[in-house]
Amino acid sequence: MTDSKIINDPVFGFIKVPKGLLLNLVKHPSMQRLRRIKQLGLASMVYPGAQHTRFQHSLGAFHLMREAILSLTQKGVYIFDMEAEAISAAILMHDIGHGPFSHVLENTLIRGISHEDISLLIMERLNEEMNGGLTLAIRIFQNQYPKQFLHQLISSQLDVDRLDYLRRDSFFTGVSEGNIGSARIIKMLDVVDDNLVIEQKGIYSIENYLIARRLMYWQVYLHKTTVACESVLVNTLLRAKHLARSGVSLFASPSLHYFLYNDVDRAFFERQSDSLRQFELLDDNDIISAIKVWMDSDDKLLSLLSRDIINRQPFKVEISDEPFSAERIEEITSGLCSAFGVSADEARYLYKLNTIQKDLYDIDDEQISILYNDGTLKNITEASEILDAGLLSHKKCKYYLCYHRF
């Protein structure tokens, strides 16, 4: 009788999940729900192959965590079995609080509580179900455990979460620039003074990793059509929420109805014991099923936006390095009012402003340190010949004006 479950993954091959706590966690309904949430939201509108799920990503990050544990222990970094199990459980659960379509629900149907906060609430409930078996995993996840490098494996500028999603998202989108050398990076990991470091031989892999991350953000995650499609989805949900507040009866699954017809903020979420259960019943299918029905809504704005989502009619996008002027926004608003016969207040559902800022590397965060053969450490900004501090820390900011074509 085998002591592990084998799962075939298209990116990393066979992934072994040990029987016991970890396999029980993978099988839990809270984890299985992630099968019904796409990893990249509406990026599939641009890259049709981007159909992979949060569940696949969680398994991939788990696999890389097991590889990292093995590599570090082979170098003499002592990790107790219970610590290895705990960080494996923590990385499995790191995305467990994500809502449908990634971050779209935040500040639309739910306000003031992030998916990280919800992840922690779910972890704590699972810990009760598993008789405290996840206590150490939660401590490490919250960075409340003495061995800081364990938390860094879960959340840092060089964590296994990023190593998986770059490889996986590159694979499924076909954007080859994101295909980083995750195996080599893991083999180059070491620990000095309770911090993760990279051996000198791995510097080129780190340079490639940082550049790949930048390219994937602007080519995939923040692709203008992806941003435009998500803007349509956000405005669709905001319009539905407005109608629900006005007493209009809308088709929705029970869980979606809960968040449409209640004003759910952090206080409500924490006060109402049923909120977490309703959230965990919510997935991409609830949103899409409702939007398909809303195409025939009597409300012309909800109907129009819903048809745009289902038929892939994204907003038109203008991108600028400077904020858009009030005059330009007024011009767009006026055009929308004339074209669709709506008021200026209603027209706000037909456009959206986004300010997006990303950098390669946050020099104020935990740094990526390179370990030289003589034992000295250098920040990647000093060690790299092609990535200086100015380039790495440059925060590229773009302004997006997304609006319905008229």
Side-chain angles (χ1 to χ4, degrees), residues 35-153:
R35 290 180 182 271
R36 304 188 298 277
I37 297 178
K38 286 183 184 176
Q39 170 75 3
L40 292 183
L42 289 174
S44 60
M45 296 288 192
V46 182
Y47 301 101
Q51 302 288 339
H52 56 302
T53 65
R54 291 272 165 192
F55 182 76
Q56 290 170 283
H57 162 60
S58 297
L59 282 177
F62 164 82
H63 169 74
L64 293 181
M65 180 65 82
R66 304 296 282 186
E67 292 291 301
I69 293 167
L70 178 62
S71 180
L72 289 171
T73 53
Q74 287 174 343
K75 293 178 182 179
V77 178
Y78 203 79
I79 301 174
F80 293 104
D81 288 345
M82 65 176 186
E83 293 170 335
E85 183 179 65
I87 54 174
S88 299
I91 199 64
L92 271 174
M93 297 185 293
H94 79 283
D95 272 352
I96 206 165
H98 262 287
F101 296 101
S102 195
H103 302 278
V104 166
L105 248 68
E106 293 179 28
N107 299 315
T108 52
L109 300 182
I110 302 173
R111 296 181 295 107
I113 184 166
S114 68
H115 72 271
E116 291 94 349
D117 296 328
I118 296 173
S119 289
L120 190 56
L121 290 173
I122 295 173
M123 287 182 198
E124 288 170 346
R125 199 203 68 235
L126 290 181
N127 193 32
E128 290 180 11
E129 290 181 24
M130 297 183 176
N131 300 314
L134 300 174
T135 300
L136 182 55
I138 294 170
R139 285 185 64 198
I140 295 172
F141 182 81
Q142 293 183 284
N143 201 16
Q144 295 176 352
Y145 189 68
K147 291 184 179 179
Q148 182 175 300
F149 77 89
L150 296 178
H151 174 76
Q152 290 172 345
L153 285 168

Side-chain angles (χ1 to χ4, degrees), residues 9 13 16-17 59 82 85 110-111 114 133 151 155 164 189 233 287 296-297 299 354 375 389 396:
D9 178 66
K16 289 185 177 181
V17 184
L59 282 177
M82 65 176 186
E85 183 179 65
I110 302 173
R111 296 181 295 107
S114 68
H151 174 76
S155 179
D164 178 78
L189 283 175
L233 180 54
I287 305 298
D296 296 321
S297 171
D299 182 79
N354 292 286
K396 179 66 176 176

Side-chain angles (χ1 to χ4, degrees), residues 202-212 380 383-387:
I203 188 170
Y204 303 121
S205 297
I206 298 302
E207 289 174 339
N208 177 60
Y209 158 79
L210 291 171
I211 293 170
I380 186 64
S384 174
E385 296 176 0
I386 63 171
L387 302 173

Side-chain angles (χ1 to χ4, degrees), residues 168-204:
R168 190 167 301 277
D169 297 346
S170 169
F171 178 88
F172 282 100
T173 59
V175 177
S176 59
E177 288 85 352
N179 191 16
I180 59 167
S182 56
R184 179 165 176 79
I185 290 173
I186 284 175
K187 291 296 184 186
M188 294 298 106
L189 283 175
D190 207 338
V191 175
V192 174
D193 296 331
D194 197 29
N195 284 290
L196 285 180
V197 299
I198 292 289
E199 294 175 0
Q200 183 181 354
K201 293 178 292 184
I203 188 170
Y204 303 121

